[in-house]
Amino acid sequence: MPATAFDAIIIGSGQAGNPLATALAQAGRKVAMIEENRLGGSCINYGCSPTKTLIATAERLHHIRTSAQVAAPETASATDLRVDLAAAVARKDGVIAAMRDGIRSNLTKKQNNITLLEGHAAFTAPNSLHVALANGRTQDLTAPLIFINTGTRTAIPDVEGLADVGYLTTTQLLDLKELPEHLIILGGGYIGLEFSQMFRRFGSRITIIESGPQLLEREDDDVCRGLQEALTKEGIEFVMNARAYRASRSASGSITVSAHTSEGERRVRGSHLLVATGRRPNSDKIGLGFAGIKTDDKGYILVNNNLQTNVKGVYALGDIHPGPQFTHLAYDDYRIVRDALLHGRKRSARERPLPYVVFTDPPMARIGLSEGQAQEDKIPYRMATMPIRTIGRAQHTSKTLGFWKVLVGKDDRLLGATLLGPEAGEIMAVIQVAMAGRLKYQQLQDMIFAHPIWAEGLNNVFRDLKAGGK
């Protein structure tokens, strides 16, 4: 059977692939969308959306549990409140199912030029694909434009016995119906931190084993210390500078992780083990070699500033190419390609801001340079920090943990900000807009903000700017 010809083929229905399919279809292009797993990619199915939905549930429980601080003593105590995990997961599943149904409707009902194929795609030549469909059939496709949007999966560390103990990935943990008694987490990055606080607030005991000297390796020391202190206050245990080398399961079912630390060997016993030590690209089973598509030594597909691979007409979008792995950057990948192909406007994928938020409580957010990056790049800066407790809104709400740190350049314009505290992501967005508009810090310092909101702190955070550097 001859191959079916399309104008464009998109492999993977993630946050770059879906809107690109719609944009190309609306422009009159004949598009094939191929998805092997669930529609929506990582963000909707096992990333941002399900995680933040469960975090919201955990936060609600935390508010109820701590309500005794202001409740009359004769009322019932909620101190020992625990989650109905099956109910929480069912709520999450309902939210995600609605999102997934919306994507399916858009791809199959609203766009006449999109053909949705569910199955596994692999290259057979630079512009040709073979698809093993979920219904057992196969189909060959060709197109002058192919977009790879296949994302990543959990990277499993080389730990003796790990494969035999029944560890969990984040995808599996999101569907767990029974609460772990003691959850051990390998990895102190943002994924491990968000899950640690979530399950601690659900009622689990938590131990994080982190190989480095600090959490969030790309952040400044003071920010990492502040976040670790906040999580420790909630009862989360940290084992730092620890290299896990063995995992085992006892006859009773408990899991033991053995690690080398600076203080000697440490053994941590728990009921469940989550592996959150990073991600690896889903590029190893799609026949890149048959197309001559180049990758780096970790398997990420190499692209230029326009997200083009070394093969003409083939692009890589989202987490599958090197760089930070965030949904908002994947969506911007779509915009870069859309504008170049449909509107004749080119913009480099290298020259864009990187805002991001760690959704702990308090959350941590950053835009632009950290202090460490400014020092490493020898960029002159002035810096100011302000404790959250000095903001009026913090005093009203008793949410006083954390601080804001801002960096200002020689021209009085903002270089970056790191925020640890309530609504950090929303305040970061204000600063990002100011940076995009090239405002000077004095304009934020003198701006009239409604009283009393968190952003009002921007009137005061620049008050004690001091020269930075070491």
Side-chain angles (χ1 to χ4, degrees), residues 230-289:
L231 295 176
T232 299
K233 286 182 179 180
E234 291 201 27
I236 296 171
E237 179 187 14
F238 292 90
V239 182
M240 307 298 293
N241 274 314
R243 186 180 65 82
Y245 68 91
R246 183 186 299 126
S248 59
R249 183 182 286 275
S250 69
S252 64
S254 67
I255 296 173
T256 298
V257 177
S258 301
H260 296 303
T261 76
S262 56
E263 299 176 355
E265 183 172 314
R266 176 74 187 274
R267 293 182 180 178
V268 180
R269 292 181 176 85
S271 58
H272 295 71
L273 174 62
L274 170 66
V275 174
T277 51
R279 311 285 298 176
R280 59 173 296 186
N282 291 322
S283 61
D284 51 337
K285 297 179 181 179
I286 58 174
L288 295 181

Side-chain angles (χ1 to χ4, degrees), residues 189-207:
Y190 74 91
I191 294 175
L193 295 181
E194 289 182 358
F195 274 92
S196 73
Q197 189 173 45
M198 178 202 306
F199 274 85
R200 179 59 184 156
R201 289 181 169 184
F202 283 164
S204 298
R205 182 181 165 198
I206 304 293
T207 302

Side-chain angles (χ1 to χ4, degrees), residues 33-50:
M33 166 66 78
I34 306 167
E35 176 54 59
E36 181 177 9
N37 296 307
R38 293 175 172 176
L39 289 174
S42 61
C43 177
I44 287 178
N45 291 295
Y46 52 85
C48 313
S49 297

Side-chain angles (χ1 to χ4, degrees), residues 165-179:
V165 300
Y167 65 83
L168 299 168
T169 65
T170 54
T171 304
Q172 294 164 324
L173 188 59
L174 285 167
D175 291 332
L176 205 63
K177 302 299 194 301
E178 295 182 2
L179 186 67

Side-chain angles (χ1 to χ4, degrees), residues 121 159 236 292 322 328:
V159 175
I236 296 171
H328 42 285

